[in-house]
Amino acid sequence: MAEYLIKNGFVFDPVTGVKGDKKDVAIRDGKIVDSVSSSAKVYDAAGKTVMAGAVEVHAHVAGPKVNEGRNYRPEDKLFGTRVRDSKDTRMTGGFSIPTTFKTGYSYAKMGYTVVMEAAMPPLYARHVHEEMRDTPIIDQGAFPVFGNNWFVLEYLKNNEVENTAAYIAWLLRASKGYAVKVVNPGGTEAWAWGLNCLSVNDPVPYFDITPAQIVKGLIEANEYLGLPHSIHIHANNLGNPGNFQTTLDTFKLAEGYKTNNKFGREQTMHHTHVQFHSYGGDNWGNFESKADAIMDYVNANPNLTIDTGNVTLDETTTMTADGPFEHHLTELNHLKWANVDVELETAAGIVPYVYSPDIKVCAIQWAIGLELALLAKDPMRCFITTDHPNAGPFTRYPRIMKWLMSKESRDERLNTFKHADKVISSTLLAGLDREITFYELAQMTRAGPAKALGLAGTYGGLAPGMDADVVVYDINPEGPFTGEDIERAFTDASLVFKTGTLVVENGRVINNGNKRTLWVDAKVNENAQVMRDVEEKFLKYYSVSLKNYEVQGHHYIPNPYAIEVDATSEV
Amino acid sequence: MAKTVTDVICPFCGTLCDDLEVQVSDDGTKILEVYNACAIGAEKFLHSQAKDRITRPRMQQEDGSYKEVSYDEAVEYTAQMLAKAKKPLMYGWSSTSCEAQSVGHEIAEAVGGVVDNTATVCHGSSLIAIQDVGIPSCTLGEVKNRADLVVFWGCNPSHAHPRHLSRYSIFPRGFFTGKGHKGRKMIVVDPRNTDTMKMADVGLQLEQGRDYELLSALRVAFRGEDLPDVVAGIPKERIYEAAEMMKNARFGVIFFGMGVTQSLGKNHNIDIAIMVTKDLNEFTKFSIIAMRGHYNVTGSGAVLGWQFGFPFATDLSRGFARYNPGETTSNDLLRRDECDAVFVLGSDPGAHFPISSVRKIAHLPSVAVDPHITPTTEISKLHVPVAFVGIEVGGCCYRMDNVPIESRKVVEPPEGMMTDTDFLARVRDRVVELKAQAPVGTQSTAEAQGA
Ligand code: SF4
Ligand SMILES: [Zn+2]
């Protein structure tokens, strides 16, 4: 029986409603418990901050496009390359696209214990799983992409929600996926012909369906199944001036739907990296923030959750299943462009990008990301991300926390931009005085994302019975502290327990943990038509055979954590 | 009686066909027949059945003869050799599974080795070009479903990737390509009049080593600018014609091979071929795909990528990963006498490296892991035969378009034979024991520089 007691820390836990009280956290056999015996190993957290392990709702950390990013950017290894922490850990390397080992270790050091890979091309699912297997410590799941999948387009063209749901259940199983991801619905299929869909009403070439129909149909299918997570969408028209209107149009598609799930999830749509979707103006000259319009809508509509996609002002590597966007980007910055179109399913593009503080647009993007979080009335519905590595590497989370929690720190940054005046006049940030509190931070990085993912019973909190993912940060929330103190404390946690195992001590990884792979096993009634369609598509159009498609086996998922959903019904 | 195993993956070339059917004896020990494979693929399956196959490790003796040794002795010899070496070269990895590669990397990390794969003499130049200019690409199924124009440049799939044309690129009928090959135009560029060239709608038989010029001329032609009368031996009218065909395609693709990657210009040829492709995306949709040779060389690059960040020529000797082709590439290391032991698995440098490098290997402590007797095993101190991946043991393999497919076990290996993953795992465990006392790496230069 392994017992630990973390004593006297200032505890912040939205699940139990603890707001910085001095409390003890007890762990027994991998779970949080009310109390432990006197033989428990005691850790003194006096003067420090204690939270549950953080939950990453959206990052690109494993799979074909991430790896193409690594392999085609040797220059990204110039910095951040390290020898092993100890004999038990592996070499690490890379900055914006770190190696899998570095990914696991860096998240763990910051106190993150669950990380969702945001876009898995189903045909490449094995690759995603091989990388996740080699990413130590953190529990992971991956979101297969559905928004441009031929089965989905064909079923939804005819409003066949039940067939769509059966296909989703089948594909989640085949790819060992976690949720329904939608990237540039219809636009990526159009990209196979070099085209795009920039509004929710642009028809998808050949398939005779619009992005709006795809999104609504997928919400219905998602709720028909009662999946733990809602649909997780990256809307059309990402990255373009004036796109906030498309974003609002996309939000509105979720109106009128009710959630249906047994996991405590309340939203019907999660919109990701909203920073990239909150732009006003109609060109790069009059480009401006529309974070207020976006957040007014989000605040008024509890059926929505979002994550921010904060720009960190680094050189990074953009990568997305939004193929046409990456082509557009390489035309803008003329940096090297990689693209892969994936048969029947999706596409992906990659382009390096330098978010320079000397470029007005980059600085405005930086401000917008912060505004979204600062304007959020309900921190349980707005999560901090960088859409890693798109707006910046996840290793910058502590810096974003600094900017959100210290007005002084963010004003210092804002006021020293080369084009500070123009940036200030095109954004709202200078007028926002709010400083995110430790409790709100725990909502935005722990309890909130866990709840939106349908994992509230397991992760993101310190209630007895939950997984013992517990983090101690070396910062006294009662102060005094500077912005720099915040960044330092959240970069290298003092202690990190993953499912009750001490994995990080004083910022060093000491144990590779017991990593699990989350996937959703959804049961539906037998659906002969869908199975016939699957067989036919593999016979005629896929380049691999149906029998070689499903991800199975210990070497892909050594430690599975299947979440079961029963959507069968009486016939 | 016999049973048939379906959906079998062919562990031979980067086409990685996954529709083979193999008839196996009832007791699961013998392959009787192989269906759907091309001749070279079928040969690989049948060859595994050879009666005179070596099934135990062999040590070369002073007089050049061989003595059978046990796997235990082979593990010990290999582990000792690697643990003692300052900078062992661990080469190959292209004809094995990703699991084996992964264990190999653990060993390399523990001993400070250099991991390099066959790209070093093959598509390494393509990988360098991709690092320079990126790569717009697609899966082979996209080609099947959409392509109406296919260019083969410096490759001869009729011989090297025999089922490529029928499965993906020319003959199949796909979703938007219901007419099959009748709906596709085919351009072939090669100095030789190959069998692939003979099938082409437009064959451009260019002068040897002039690929860069011709690719450059295409970029000029796309822009409607003037060309000299003849470029690379091709009259300008034909270049304009090819350029128009490419611009007017709905979905085009360029496949390229060793004819451009290893001829004069090397990575620069691929650079500009990629820029040709990028240019074409101004007009239409175009992709470019390397015709990778070994069935899992792509997987080796993938696993190296996610574990260390580089696709080949990865030097772990300093305690962190370095990559510098020309310095950390196998032949350069051998030529400069920089490695003091050689471990080969899943390739045959004895047959593919320059003779000067082969001589170096012959003079170094060396271990070759290979199911076959090869020129490499003949010059190695220790030959460790193992089960055939994709025939006698499964494992993940990456097709030339990076699509991962799990290969299948269809028959049992000969009694008592190890798989390469098992052998490597035992070597790793022994190496870790031997290294247990050694200090872990010190501060990296990157850290020292305050990165
Ligand atoms: S084309 Fe290549 S993979 Fe296909 S059967 Fe022939 S050798 Fe095997
Ligand atoms: Zn994303």
Side-chain angles (χ1 to χ4, degrees):
Chain A
M1 206 162 59
E3 294 188 318
Y4 304 97
L5 188 65
I6 300 155
K7 277 184 85 83
N8 287 327
F10 297 104
V11 175
F12 294 90
D13 178 33
V15 172
T16 51
V18 179
K19 300 188 171 175
D21 303 352
K22 243 188 225 174
K23 291 194 69 138
D24 299 346
V25 177
I27 299 172
R28 183 187 306 125
D29 294 338
K31 299 274 183 202
I32 306 281
V33 289
D34 278 320
S35 60
V36 281
S37 69
S38 55
S39 58
K41 184 159 185 192
V42 176
Y43 291 89
D44 181 22
K48 296 181 178 174
T49 295
V50 179
M51 293 185 183
V55 177
E56 167 69 272
V57 77
H58 184 114
H60 303 270
V61 285
K65 67 185 182 312
V66 181
N67 214 35
E68 182 71 24
R70 296 186 187 102
N71 270 343
Y72 101 140
R73 293 205 67 197
E75 67 274 19
D76 192 67
K77 262 68 68 178
L78 218 48
F79 304 103
T81 291
R82 291 283 186 280
V83 296
R84 299 186 275 168
D85 262 19
S86 77
K87 279 204 169 95
D88 298 323
T89 58
R90 301 288 302 266
M91 286 177 191
T92 60
F95 174 70
S96 68
I97 23 183
T99 61
T100 53
F101 304 118
K102 184 170 183 188
T103 299
Y105 298 150
S106 299
Y107 267 117
K109 288 181 190 188
M110 299 189 307
Y112 279 72
T113 53
V114 183
V115 175
M116 289 294 165
E117 158 55 47
M120 170 161 73
L123 184 60
Y124 287 93
R126 284 191 187 87
H127 183 164
V128 175
H129 285 289
E130 285 194 295
E131 286 201 22
M132 297 202 298
R133 175 203 65 208
D134 281 351
T135 308
I137 301 177
I138 52 179
D139 289 350
Q140 281 180 289
F143 304 161
V145 286
F146 285 93
N148 296 279
N149 178 300
W150 288 5
F151 290 89
V152 170
L153 302 187
E154 287 178 355
Y155 290 141
L156 290 181
K157 169 164 73 183
N158 305 316
N159 247 323
E160 296 169 19
V161 171
E162 207 174 317
N163 287 340
T164 308
Y167 173 73
I168 290 171
W170 180 83
L171 192 67
L172 288 175
R173 165 173 286 276
S175 67
K176 300 295 177 286
Y178 188 81
V180 175
K181 176 73 184 298
V182 188
V183 179
N184 189 358
T188 298
E189 165 54 33
W191 172 240
W193 302 119
L195 308 169
N196 197 359
C197 298
L198 288 170
S199 85
V200 298
N201 296 319
D202 280 8
V204 185
Y206 180 82
F207 284 92
D208 194 23
I209 188 171
T210 62
Q213 285 172 283
I214 298 169
V215 173
K216 289 169 80 79
L218 285 172
I219 294 174
E220 287 178 44
N222 198 93
E223 299 312 318
Y224 175 96
L225 289 168
L227 299 179
H229 194 28
S230 61
I231 71 156
H232 188 115
I233 188 170
H234 148 162
N236 306 85
N237 208 9
L238 172 141
N240 293 322
N243 68 1
F244 81 105
Q245 202 54 59
T246 315
T247 312
L248 292 175
D249 291 344
T250 303
F251 287 168
K252 287 176 190 152
L253 297 173
E255 285 176 9
Y257 292 114
K258 286 218 164 43
T259 52
N260 160 46
N261 69 94
K262 58 171 191 188
F263 301 95
R265 160 176 63 85
E266 290 183 46
Q267 88 280 8
T268 48
M269 177 189 277
H270 176 84
H271 197 301
T272 187
H273 43 66
V274 173
Q275 178 274 128
F276 286 122
H277 302 266
S278 304
Y279 302 155
D282 53 22
N283 61 59
W284 298 114
N286 62 16
F287 182 76
E288 61 175 358
S289 170
K290 284 288 178 189
D292 46 355
I294 292 289
M295 288 316 291
D296 283 349
Y297 186 93
V298 172
N299 287 333
N301 288 275
N303 66 329
L304 260 181
T305 56
I306 64 161
D307 65 84
T308 50
N310 283 96
V311 165
T312 65
L313 303 169
D314 285 292
E315 173 179 330
T316 191
T317 313
T318 70
M319 53 183 63
T320 167
D322 195 336
F325 170 75
E326 292 289 358
H327 182 247
H328 178 64
L329 194 64
T330 191
E331 304 269 283
L332 286 175
N333 77 356
H334 302 293
L335 295 181
K336 54 191 177 187
W337 172 53
N339 177 79
V340 181
D341 291 355
V342 182
E343 61 208 57
L344 291 84
E345 295 178 352
T346 182
I350 316 170
V351 177
Y353 200 82
V354 184
Y355 290 97
S356 164
D358 294 343
I359 294 173
K360 187 192 77 174
V361 169
C362 298
I364 294 174
Q365 290 177 304
W366 170 84
I368 294 173
L370 298 173
E371 288 165 5
L372 295 170
L374 295 169
L375 291 169
K377 290 226 171 87
D378 182 359
M380 286 295 285
R381 295 195 291 115
C382 175
F383 319 132
I384 298 169
T385 67
T386 59
D387 186 22
H388 166 86
N390 284 301
F394 69 82
T395 44
R396 290 290 193 226
Y397 282 163
R399 189 164 292 177
I400 297 165
M401 294 169 188
K402 167 180 80 177
W403 288 323
L404 289 175
M405 296 172 80
S406 161
K407 165 127 177 104
E408 188 186 340
S409 292
R410 69 172 176 264
D411 280 350
E412 188 183 303
R413 177 62 276 187
L414 180 62
N415 295 328
T416 53
F417 282 127
K418 183 171 177 187
H419 304 286
D421 292 347
K422 284 190 202 144
V423 174
I424 289 168
S425 67
S426 313
T427 59
L428 323 154
L429 192 64
L432 297 177
D433 293 332
R434 182 174 176 189
E435 293 184 328
I436 298 294
T437 65
F438 281 72
Y439 186 78
E440 288 168 338
L441 186 74
Q443 291 178 299
M444 289 177 155
T445 56
R446 272 95 174 150
K451 181 178 176 188
L453 288 165
L455 294 168
T458 310
Y459 300 108
L462 297 172
M466 295 178 76
D467 272 16
D469 293 2
V470 186
V471 190
V472 178
Y473 295 108
D474 186 10
I475 187 164
N476 186 329
E478 303 198 325
F481 52 80
T482 64
E484 301 317 308
D485 293 334
I486 295 171
E487 183 172 347
R488 182 190 42 73
F490 284 99
T491 299
D492 286 323
S494 297
L495 297 173
V496 180
F497 289 87
K498 174 76 196 83
T499 339
T501 302
L502 185 63
V503 291
V504 172
E505 193 166 21
N506 297 324
R508 280 168 63 91
V509 174
I510 57 164
N511 189 302
N512 284 310
N514 42 19
K515 190 226 178 59
R516 290 175 295 189
T517 303
L518 292 137
W519 69 281
V520 172
D521 186 1
K523 292 189 178 46
V524 292
N525 290 338
E526 254 176 53
N527 187 321
Q529 190 199 328
V530 169
M531 284 327 295
R532 256 199 319 276
D533 293 343
V534 166
E535 273 164 33
E536 194 203 327
K537 285 242 179 352
F538 274 87
L539 211 55
K540 288 185 165 170
Y541 307 129
Y542 267 105
S543 63
V544 298
S545 79
L546 175 55
K547 287 220 179 90
N548 289 322
Y549 189 73
E550 180 170 352
V551 180
Q552 279 171 309
H554 180 83
H555 50 293
Y556 299 106
I557 307 179
N559 196 8
Y561 180 1
I563 295 188
E564 290 181 7
V565 171
D566 188 354
T568 53
S569 56
E570 309 288 317
V571 233
Chain B
M1 268 296 285
K3 54 184 180 185
T4 303
V5 191
T6 65
D7 304 277
V8 173
I9 288 77
C10 172
F12 191 79
C13 83
T15 311
L16 211 62
C17 301
D18 74 334
D19 62 341
L20 275 51
E21 297 194 351
V22 180
Q23 213 181 61
V24 181
S25 66
D26 235 5
D27 61 357
T29 59
K30 269 203 254 1
I31 292 175
L32 306 174
E33 202 62 68
V34 180
Y35 300 102
N36 296 348
C38 70
I40 47 179
E43 172 62 20
K44 172 142 187 192
F45 280 87
L46 298 171
H47 194 84
S48 71
Q49 304 295 295
K51 290 265 167 343
D52 56 350
R53 184 167 157 195
I54 305 281
T55 58
R56 289 294 177 274
R58 316 176 296 152
M59 288 286 283
Q60 209 173 72
Q61 307 298 300
E62 296 280 334
D63 63 358
S65 67
Y66 284 95
K67 180 176 147 229
E68 187 176 305
V69 296
S70 67
Y71 275 110
D72 289 346
E73 289 169 281
V75 166
E76 185 63 24
Y77 179 90
T78 308
Q80 291 282 357
M81 177 188 89
L82 290 169
K84 274 188 206 131
K86 285 206 174 63
K87 193 173 184 177
L89 171 62
M90 300 182 69
Y91 175 76
W93 311 108
S94 302
S95 292
T96 191
S97 66
C98 295
E99 296 80 70
Q101 290 158 359
S102 205
V103 182
H105 298 173
E106 286 183 70
I107 300 173
E109 198 171 321
V111 301
V114 179
V115 184
D116 197 9
N117 59 39
T118 53
T120 211
V121 286
C122 195
H123 275 282
S125 46
S126 312
L127 300 171
I128 293 168
I130 293 166
Q131 290 165 350
D132 287 339
V133 293
I135 181 165
S137 194
C138 67
T139 65
L140 293 169
E142 280 290 270
V143 177
K144 165 172 150 175
N145 286 317
R146 299 187 202 259
D148 58 348
L149 176 73
V150 181
V151 183
F152 292 102
W153 199 301
C155 57
N156 185 14
S158 302
H159 289 193
H161 300 86
R163 297 186 67 215
H164 194 280
L165 304 174
S166 60
R167 273 177 66 78
Y168 314 119
S169 50
I170 298 295
F171 297 106
R173 297 165 196 269
F175 193 76
F176 297 100
T177 52
K179 293 209 196 99
H181 78 282
K182 291 205 191 74
R184 288 193 181 90
K185 289 270 180 281
M186 181 176 173
I187 300 179
V188 177
V189 189
D190 204 299
R192 308 158 300 169
N193 186 14
T194 60
D195 285 342
T196 310
M197 171 87 72
K198 293 189 182 108
M199 301 164 58
D201 296 291
V202 173
L204 301 176
Q205 214 175 327
L206 82 175
E207 288 168 9
Q208 174 84 38
R210 296 290 182 90
D211 299 273
Y212 190 95
E213 282 149 81
L214 186 56
L215 286 157
S216 189
L218 279 173
R219 298 190 72 189
V220 173
F222 295 153
R223 291 163 173 77
E225 303 284 342
D226 284 344
L227 282 173
D229 290 343
V230 178
V231 178
I234 311 289
K236 70 174 177 189
E237 296 71 28
R238 302 206 59 208
I239 299 173
Y240 283 120
E241 176 201 15
E244 277 313 299
M245 277 172 73
M246 291 165 100
K247 279 164 73 172
N248 292 326
R250 274 223 306 163
F251 186 107
V253 60
I254 300 173
F255 291 100
F256 66 98
M258 298 264 290
V260 252
T261 64
Q262 291 300 327
S263 63
L264 190 69
K266 291 200 171 183
N267 54 307
H268 300 286
N269 295 336
I270 314 309
D271 253 54
I272 193 158
I274 292 170
M275 292 314 288
V276 161
T277 314
K278 195 174 176 186
D279 284 354
L280 284 163
N281 279 286
E282 304 292 318
F283 306 101
T284 179
K285 196 65 194 292
F286 236 88
S287 288
I288 180 164
I289 299 177
M291 295 286 258
R292 306 301 298 272
H294 290 71
Y295 70 89
N296 198 25
V297 59
T298 312
S300 172
V303 181
L304 276 171
W306 78 65
Q307 299 192 342
F308 303 111
F310 308 109
F312 72 115
T314 301
D315 177 357
L316 307 177
S317 65
R318 295 192 193 174
F320 59 93
R322 283 177 70 245
Y323 160 85
N324 190 18
E327 182 201 344
T328 59
T329 23
S330 301
N331 282 296
D332 303 281
L333 291 165
L334 288 167
R335 194 173 309 139
R336 289 194 313 271
D337 293 313
E338 268 196 47
C339 30
D340 49 355
V342 178
F343 175 89
V344 178
L345 185 150
S347 171
D348 186 8
H352 302 130
F353 277 14
I355 186 68
S356 54
S357 297
V358 178
R359 278 207 196 93
K360 301 270 180 160
I361 300 175
H363 288 119
L364 287 167
S366 52
V367 174
V369 182
D370 201 306
H372 300 279
I373 295 179
T374 67
T376 308
T377 66
E378 292 303 280
I379 56 161
S380 299
K381 305 295 172 295
L382 172 67
H383 171 204
V384 185
V386 282
F388 281 92
V389 173
I391 300 176
E392 295 163 345
V393 59
C396 190
C397 307
Y398 283 56
R399 203 167 62 185
M400 61 169 70
D401 55 354
N402 296 301
V403 170
I405 306 178
E406 173 76 6
S407 69
R408 281 169 198 275
K409 172 177 179 167
V410 291
V411 283
E412 292 297 330
E415 183 77 27
M417 263 192 105
M418 286 185 95
T419 66
D420 40 13
T421 308
D422 292 341
F423 179 74
L424 287 163
R426 286 201 47 200
V427 171
R428 173 199 59 201
D429 294 347
R430 183 64 184 133
V431 160
V432 168
E433 266 173 35
L434 292 169
K435 288 273 174 186
Q437 306 313 324
V440 218
T442 41
Q443 201 187 30
S444 75
T445 35
E447 257 172 316
Q449 287 156 2

